[in-house]
Amino acid sequence: MHNTGISSELFTPFLAQQHPAGKPLPRYRMLFNYLQQGIMTGKLQPATKLPSSRELAQLLMLSRNTVKQVYEMLQAEGYIETRHGAGSFVSPQLNISAGRANKTSPQTSTTIKLSLKSQQIDQLRPLYSHDNKQLLLPAMPAIDQFPWPQWQRSVASAGREMKFSSLRDNQGSPELRREIARYLTASRGIHCRMEQILICSGSQQGMQLAFSMLLNPGDKVLAEDPGFPGIDGAISNAGGIKVSIPIDSNGFRADLAMQNSAGAKVAFITPSRNFPIGYTLSLERRLALLQWARQNGSCIIEDDYDSEFRFDGPPLTAMQGLGGDDCVIYSGTFSRILHPSIRLGYLVLPTALVDPFTRMRGFLDGGLSALPQLALADFMAKGHFSSHLRRMRKLYKARRHYLLQQISEKFSDKLQWLASDGGMHGVFLLSPDYDDQQIAEQAIARGLGIRPLSYYYDQEAAQSGLIIGFAGYDENQMDKGLKILSELL
Amino acid sequence: MHNTGISSELFTPFLAQQHPAGKPLPRYRMLFNYLQQGIMTGKLQPATKLPSSRELAQLLMLSRNTVKQVYEMLQAEGYIETRHGAGSFVSPQLNISAGRANKTSPQTSTTIKLSLKSQQIDQLRPLYSHDNKQLLLPAMPAIDQFPWPQWQRSVASAGREMKFSSLRDNQGSPELRREIARYLTASRGIHCRMEQILICSGSQQGMQLAFSMLLNPGDKVLAEDPGFPGIDGAISNAGGIKVSIPIDSNGFRADLAMQNSAGAKVAFITPSRNFPIGYTLSLERRLALLQWARQNGSCIIEDDYDSEFRFDGPPLTAMQGLGGDDCVIYSGTFSRILHPSIRLGYLVLPTALVDPFTRMRGFLDGGLSALPQLALADFMAKGHFSSHLRRMRKLYKARRHYLLQQISEKFSDKLQWLASDGGMHGVFLLSPDYDDQQIAEQAIARGLGIRPLSYYYDQEAAQSGLIIGFAGYDENQMDKGLKILSELL
């Protein structure tokens, strides 16, 4: 090439270059990348003179402006220098080897080391992935019954409202907090004002925030066994230690918990219906736990995952409503009872914790998108949430009835129902001839998303059983799922 | 009352009870709360016989079914016992004092102790709240120019798409990740596939995740001074220690950083345009930092907060694109460049970090709401994002021009512009007669949301100056804002 240090052959690969799959790159970006790569790989040595923009435009069949723009970009970023009247040169002092990943010499490229904490979390039992194509998943609501037209109207309204909403609120949209406070007061016996509510993306995020606010490294968390494996990561992330306490038919063994409560900052419980088994925590134990929390400056986290669906009467009163509004954090979620894609939950905080939690939240994620919050607020304000819950309570009751009937007809010798007054799944003890984890693994491989009961235990003496979701599935789907199960048992 | 242990006067307050403000409680909930409170406060002593449901219904002018339902609820929750033929009694063994918050005797009620970590975070300089009624806020885009009709169509489409979308993805909606990968490849010189992208609720959450994955307690983070105060909380939450490194006109002093790099696991930098001052990190320093990161298994977090808005040419290439895809985490956000309520950002991760980050994310928040992600994906796929950015680039350039003109006319003796080739705010050094923090405080009190430059410094030798946002304000608003400023200076 005229008067430059490089041959035009250097550009042959550029001309031969195919557009990568998907949307093509702009021409200027392709040329920039090509020259940048040439410089970084040493094909274009430091101080090499580049062709003039006119020459290069001609050679590459590009407009001269494109080439000029690329030279300006390369100059702005320090790859080349343009001397007036003399032309453009690859920057002479570039130590290009410094920036290059040298894959042939491993000493110069160490892989990124992850924190011990993240390695510990890698050691935890993995969470099940939510593959919605599986049948009889325990946490799946009836999404085919979801009132889409009403939801879409609320979504459209949110798209308009967003224009006028307060732009950022670390606690969550006031509109949604107001609706949640109303709902909880009327339906769950909870004493709260909207000022105590903090919106989270599902209860998982609420747990992370709560443990991080309450636990010092080494602090203990009293938790139910069996219980939610999802809290293990949040506890471990905060440096806490989980102490597993067995349950009986009156729920969490508060008596045993008290014996292990030295150094315990938090009790994490599901009093309305123990997860996964479904026992309700007795009033006596509730009162004992409240007393313990108050005397020790400890905190009870009450996780209420699906107790909206109680079939024998209205939902039970939350512990928070039992005069526990000074030491109970109540956690609820919409993902489980409404739709998994909603990913909104909330904490009801004791008044004293509102400010510190909100401040921490500002540092940790700075608040959530307004759109789903405004949509859900509108959906609740128009009464669609309550009426959907009422419909689902009836539907789930009927679906459970069908499941229990089928199981007692087909599996009476192998599966024994652990009675519970509500929920979205049934728990069935498995006859000792079978290994529940093995059955569940085979089931999942065949598209049946049941879970092994023993997975939810920390202690060795786990019960073997199957957890079967009924809420999200009609009789046809249940038949299909149970047919797979009958082939496995 | 006939044959019971209580007098009908006990119910006088119930009859006199006014509905609380807002939506009234259902009758059954009001009666339940009343009786529960009566039992918990000792007005209804253990073993007291309650009136029959017929008697109480008559007295309170309620339907008998309502009273029956309440008695059933009280029984289900353990407050009362119903003996067949004998009637209902307050449970005889209730230790009601246990559950009661005893506010008169402080020994029995200790306030909840927060973690040391949360106390440390309380010590950090507080973040400014985003009050959108303030004028000339630095991080405010032109929301009056936001293409609402297009956005609302995308939102409506998302409301429909949600029905068919995969229900939960810890990495974020595939639809949005695909659009982001396309955009970054075409416009920011980034090498990435959608599999490397993790959607977060703003960059703040991305930082929290990254620091928690990378830092052990005591590990150092090299950071720019001045720089983002928002990272302090995330670093502190992970137990890390921030090491502030000064900047000069070539950006982050990589040479000084290297002298302080023993034990540093992360360098957090804004190479395209230092926040808040706007200097660009030189190529030489970029290469040196990449070399350091590779040799030490350390990680560079490249925060790209608004470099879409470069006025003298296309946005500069990200460090990630400079062959740093094995050691650079690139962080971007839509809240700043599009609309603050959107609260969506993303990390582009080195391939080796994708799985561990995604797993941790599953434990920490379990993914975000599908709705805003699907809306934004549609908005991008239809080209509205790119065309809005193009329009805003022109508009912000004109707005900056106006601001600089006005300031040089009115404040040439007091404010000196620190030149920068883009962004959404201008930085002006303040003449030494003034205290920038004091001026900003007075300004905010009068509705002018300018920020003091010295706030962004960790070192003592902070420069005094004012940070003035221009992107979100038209000439009229700028005039109003500058009038307030002229009264203060």
Side-chain angles (χ1 to χ4, degrees):
Chain A
M1 207 171 267
H2 175 70
N3 198 23
T4 68
I6 53 179
S7 115
S8 63
E9 276 160 34
L10 202 83
F11 292 96
T12 316
F14 180 82
L15 288 164
Q17 196 166 240
Q18 300 293 317
H19 279 307
K23 284 191 182 175
L25 285 181
R27 307 294 295 172
Y28 81 86
R29 177 59 64 187
M30 287 180 72
L31 180 58
F32 177 90
N33 288 352
Y34 190 79
L35 289 171
Q36 184 201 34
Q37 282 304 306
I39 295 168
M40 292 300 295
T41 55
K43 272 185 208 144
L44 287 165
Q45 287 287 324
T48 306
K49 187 173 185 194
L50 293 173
S52 73
S53 57
R54 184 199 308 268
E55 280 176 317
L56 193 57
Q58 225 165 20
L59 177 70
L60 303 181
M61 292 169 291
L62 296 170
S63 85
R64 195 170 161 201
N65 273 341
T66 300
V67 179
K68 272 185 158 170
Q69 187 187 17
V70 169
Y71 277 17
E72 276 161 20
M73 286 168 70
L74 288 168
Q75 189 180 356
E77 301 193 16
Y79 292 98
I80 66 172
E81 289 178 0
T82 302
R83 287 173 226 144
H84 196 66
S88 299
F89 300 82
V90 177
S91 297
Q93 274 115 20
L94 274 188
N95 175 14
I96 53 160
S97 67
R100 209 157 51 195
N102 192 339
K103 269 135 196 167
T104 54
S105 135
Q107 305 91 296
T108 65
S109 183
T110 316
T111 45
I112 296 172
K113 282 184 284 286
L114 296 176
S115 63
L116 294 174
K117 190 186 283 182
S118 81
Q119 290 166 29
Q120 280 158 6
I121 285 181
D122 249 11
Q123 305 297 316
L124 299 174
R125 62 190 146 173
L127 301 180
Y128 279 103
S129 68
H130 293 248
D131 174 359
N132 61 324
K133 285 180 202 78
Q134 300 255 321
L135 284 169
L136 308 192
L137 285 170
M140 181 63 72
I143 48 176
D144 57 315
Q145 300 289 319
F146 188 75
W148 288 108
Q150 290 85 337
W151 176 249
Q152 281 161 17
R153 277 197 294 277
S154 290
V155 167
S157 150
R160 292 186 301 269
E161 277 306 306
M162 203 179 128
K163 194 166 170 176
F164 311 106
S165 76
S166 62
L167 292 174
R168 189 169 158 177
D169 191 323
N170 286 340
Q171 262 190 275
S173 299
E175 294 85 348
L176 179 58
R177 290 190 282 121
R178 187 175 302 119
E179 291 301 326
I180 291 173
R182 276 181 186 161
Y183 163 69
L184 292 176
T185 308
S187 306
R188 305 287 292 108
I190 284 178
H191 304 297
C192 73
R193 292 164 300 110
M194 61 176 278
E195 289 77 12
Q196 289 169 262
I197 291 177
L198 187 86
I199 311 289
C200 306
S201 60
S203 48
Q204 200 81 347
Q205 192 187 36
M207 291 310 104
Q208 186 214 349
L209 180 61
F211 289 130
S212 153
M213 288 300 290
L214 298 170
L215 298 184
N216 288 322
D219 280 348
K220 289 196 281 184
V221 176
L222 305 172
E224 295 163 327
D225 194 30
F228 264 119
I231 60 166
D232 296 2
I235 294 173
S236 170
N237 187 52
I241 294 163
K242 181 173 155 186
V243 180
S244 299
I245 306 289
I247 62 162
D248 63 18
S249 60
N250 283 318
F252 187 64
R253 287 282 306 270
D255 51 335
L256 292 180
M258 296 306 95
Q259 291 166 22
N260 286 280
S261 67
K265 279 301 310 275
V266 175
F268 177 90
I269 51 177
T270 51
S272 290
R273 184 162 45 254
N274 157 265
F275 181 86
I277 289 192
Y279 297 135
T280 301
L281 186 62
S282 72
L283 183 57
E284 194 190 348
R285 292 187 182 173
R286 290 177 186 225
L287 294 171
L289 277 170
L290 286 172
Q291 188 175 37
W292 163 76
R294 288 210 180 90
Q295 282 176 348
N296 294 280
S298 297
C299 190
I300 294 167
I301 300 181
E302 173 175 27
D303 187 41
D304 206 1
Y305 61 103
D306 70 358
S307 50
E308 278 80 1
F309 302 121
R310 181 164 176 265
F311 304 139
D312 304 337
L316 299 179
T317 307
M319 269 185 82
Q320 198 272 3
L322 185 56
D325 52 354
D326 57 339
C327 60
V328 173
I329 296 177
Y330 175 89
S331 159
T333 175
F334 294 98
S335 303
R336 213 176 251 267
I337 58 174
L338 211 49
H339 194 286
S341 286
I342 284 188
R343 300 293 312 143
L344 286 175
Y346 52 87
L347 300 178
V348 181
L349 295 167
T351 309
L353 298 186
V354 171
D355 279 349
F357 271 58
T358 306
R359 214 156 31 230
M360 175 71 118
R361 217 277 173 82
F363 278 113
L364 296 192
D365 83 359
L368 297 173
S369 185
L371 199 57
Q373 301 184 64
L374 294 173
L376 183 55
D378 184 80
F379 189 80
M380 293 177 86
K382 298 221 165 83
H384 303 315
F385 176 65
S386 301
S387 69
H388 181 63
L389 281 190
R390 274 196 301 275
R391 278 182 56 227
M392 291 308 101
R393 210 172 283 136
K394 273 189 206 149
L395 179 72
Y396 294 175
K397 185 175 182 175
R399 286 183 168 181
R400 186 182 70 167
H401 180 76
Y402 184 79
L403 178 72
L404 294 177
Q405 202 175 38
Q406 293 302 308
I407 286 197
S408 87
E409 272 176 29
K410 290 173 186 145
F411 305 97
S412 64
D413 52 333
K414 291 164 188 152
L415 293 175
Q416 183 209 335
W417 183 48
L418 284 179
S420 155
D421 64 355
M424 296 165 65
H425 63 254
V427 181
F428 301 88
L429 295 183
L430 191 59
S431 74
D433 315 347
Y434 300 100
D435 174 330
D436 63 347
Q437 308 231 8
Q438 206 180 330
I439 297 286
E441 203 175 297
Q442 291 166 354
I444 288 169
R446 300 186 56 179
L448 176 62
I450 59 175
R451 306 288 184 237
L453 177 58
S454 61
Y455 166 82
Y456 297 92
Y457 280 87
D458 286 319
Q459 56 182 310
E460 290 291 311
Q463 296 198 81
S464 169
L466 297 178
I467 301 182
I468 305 181
F470 53 78
Y473 307 94
D474 61 23
E475 297 189 358
N476 199 0
Q477 290 167 312
M478 282 197 257
D479 288 345
K480 261 169 91 175
L482 293 178
K483 187 160 173 295
I484 298 173
L485 186 60
S486 73
E487 288 160 14
L488 295 176
L489 286 181
Chain B
M1 208 170 265
H2 174 70
N3 198 24
T4 68
I6 53 181
S7 114
S8 62
E9 276 160 35
L10 202 81
F11 292 95
T12 316
F14 180 83
L15 288 163
Q17 196 168 241
Q18 299 295 316
H19 278 306
K23 286 191 180 174
L25 284 182
R27 308 294 294 174
Y28 81 86
R29 176 60 65 188
M30 287 180 70
L31 181 57
F32 176 89
N33 289 353
Y34 189 80
L35 290 170
Q36 184 201 34
Q37 283 303 307
I39 294 168
M40 292 300 294
T41 55
K43 271 184 209 147
L44 287 164
Q45 286 289 323
T48 307
K49 187 173 185 193
L50 294 173
S52 72
S53 56
R54 183 200 308 267
E55 282 176 315
L56 194 56
Q58 223 163 23
L59 177 71
L60 303 180
M61 292 169 291
L62 296 171
S63 86
R64 194 169 163 202
N65 273 340
T66 301
V67 179
K68 272 185 158 171
Q69 187 188 14
V70 169
Y71 277 15
E72 276 160 20
M73 286 169 71
L74 288 168
Q75 190 181 356
E77 301 194 15
Y79 293 98
I80 66 172
E81 288 178 2
T82 301
R83 287 172 227 147
H84 196 69
S88 298
F89 301 82
V90 177
S91 297
Q93 273 115 19
L94 274 187
N95 177 13
I96 54 161
S97 67
R100 208 158 49 195
N102 192 339
K103 269 134 198 168
T104 52
S105 136
Q107 307 90 295
T108 67
S109 184
T110 316
T111 45
I112 296 173
K113 283 183 284 288
L114 296 176
S115 62
L116 294 174
K117 190 186 284 182
S118 81
Q119 291 167 29
Q120 280 159 7
I121 285 181
D122 249 11
Q123 305 298 315
L124 299 174
R125 62 190 145 172
L127 301 180
Y128 279 105
S129 68
H130 293 247
D131 173 0
N132 60 324
K133 285 180 201 77
Q134 299 256 322
L135 285 170
L136 308 193
L137 286 170
M140 182 62 72
I143 49 175
D144 57 316
Q145 300 289 318
F146 187 76
W148 289 106
Q150 289 86 335
W151 175 250
Q152 281 161 16
R153 278 197 294 276
S154 290
V155 166
S157 150
R160 292 187 301 270
E161 277 305 307
M162 202 179 129
K163 194 167 170 176
F164 310 106
S165 75
S166 63
L167 292 175
R168 189 170 158 177
D169 191 321
N170 286 340
Q171 261 191 276
S173 299
E175 293 86 347
L176 180 57
R177 291 190 281 121
R178 187 175 302 119
E179 291 301 325
I180 292 174
R182 277 181 184 160
Y183 163 68
L184 293 176
T185 308
S187 305
R188 305 287 293 107
I190 284 179
H191 303 297
C192 72
R193 292 164 299 112
M194 61 177 278
E195 289 77 12
Q196 289 170 262
I197 290 177
L198 188 85
I199 310 289
C200 305
S201 61
S203 49
Q204 201 80 347
Q205 192 187 37
M207 289 311 102
Q208 186 214 349
L209 180 61
F211 288 130
S212 152
M213 288 301 291
L214 297 170
L215 298 183
N216 288 323
D219 280 347
K220 290 197 279 184
V221 176
L222 306 171
E224 296 162 329
D225 193 31
F228 264 119
I231 60 166
D232 296 3
I235 294 173
S236 169
N237 186 52
I241 295 163
K242 181 172 153 186
V243 180
S244 299
I245 307 288
I247 61 161
D248 63 18
S249 60
N250 283 317
F252 187 65
R253 288 282 304 271
D255 52 335
L256 292 180
M258 296 306 93
Q259 292 166 22
N260 286 281
S261 68
K265 278 302 309 274
V266 176
F268 177 89
I269 50 177
T270 51
S272 291
R273 183 163 44 254
N274 158 265
F275 181 86
I277 290 194
Y279 297 135
T280 301
L281 186 62
S282 71
L283 183 56
E284 194 190 348
R285 291 186 182 173
R286 291 177 186 224
L287 294 171
L289 277 170
L290 286 172
Q291 188 175 37
W292 163 77
R294 289 211 180 90
Q295 282 176 349
N296 294 281
S298 297
C299 191
I300 294 167
I301 300 181
E302 173 175 27
D303 187 41
D304 206 1
Y305 60 103
D306 71 357
S307 51
E308 278 81 1
F309 302 120
R310 182 165 175 264
F311 304 139
D312 303 337
L316 300 178
T317 307
M319 269 185 82
Q320 197 272 2
L322 185 55
D325 52 354
D326 57 339
C327 60
V328 174
I329 296 176
Y330 176 89
S331 159
T333 175
F334 293 98
S335 304
R336 213 176 251 266
I337 58 174
L338 212 48
H339 193 286
S341 285
I342 284 189
R343 300 294 313 142
L344 286 174
Y346 52 87
L347 300 179
V348 181
L349 296 168
T351 310
L353 297 186
V354 171
D355 280 349
F357 270 59
T358 306
R359 215 157 29 231
M360 175 72 118
R361 217 277 172 84
F363 278 112
L364 295 191
D365 84 0
L368 297 172
S369 185
L371 199 56
Q373 300 185 66
L374 293 173
L376 183 54
D378 184 80
F379 189 79
M380 293 177 87
K382 298 221 165 83
H384 303 314
F385 176 65
S386 301
S387 70
H388 181 62
L389 282 191
R390 274 196 301 275
R391 278 182 57 228
M392 290 308 101
R393 209 172 283 135
K394 273 190 207 149
L395 179 72
Y396 294 175
K397 186 177 182 175
R399 286 182 168 182
R400 187 182 68 168
H401 180 76
Y402 184 78
L403 177 71
L404 294 178
Q405 202 176 36
Q406 294 302 308
I407 286 197
S408 87
E409 273 177 28
K410 291 174 186 146
F411 305 98
S412 65
D413 51 334
K414 292 165 188 151
L415 293 175
Q416 181 208 337
W417 184 47
L418 284 179
S420 153
D421 64 356
M424 297 166 63
H425 63 253
V427 181
F428 302 88
L429 295 182
L430 191 60
S431 73
D433 315 347
Y434 300 101
D435 174 329
D436 62 348
Q437 308 230 8
Q438 206 180 330
I439 297 286
E441 203 175 299
Q442 291 166 354
I444 288 168
R446 299 187 56 179
L448 176 62
I450 58 175
R451 306 287 184 238
L453 177 58
S454 62
Y455 166 79
Y456 297 93
Y457 280 86
D458 286 318
Q459 56 183 309
E460 290 292 311
Q463 296 197 82
S464 169
L466 297 177
I467 301 183
I468 304 181
F470 52 78
Y473 306 93
D474 61 23
E475 297 188 358
N476 198 1
Q477 291 167 311
M478 282 197 257
D479 288 346
K480 262 170 90 174
L482 293 179
K483 187 161 173 297
I484 298 173
L485 186 60
S486 74
E487 288 160 15
L488 296 176
L489 287 181

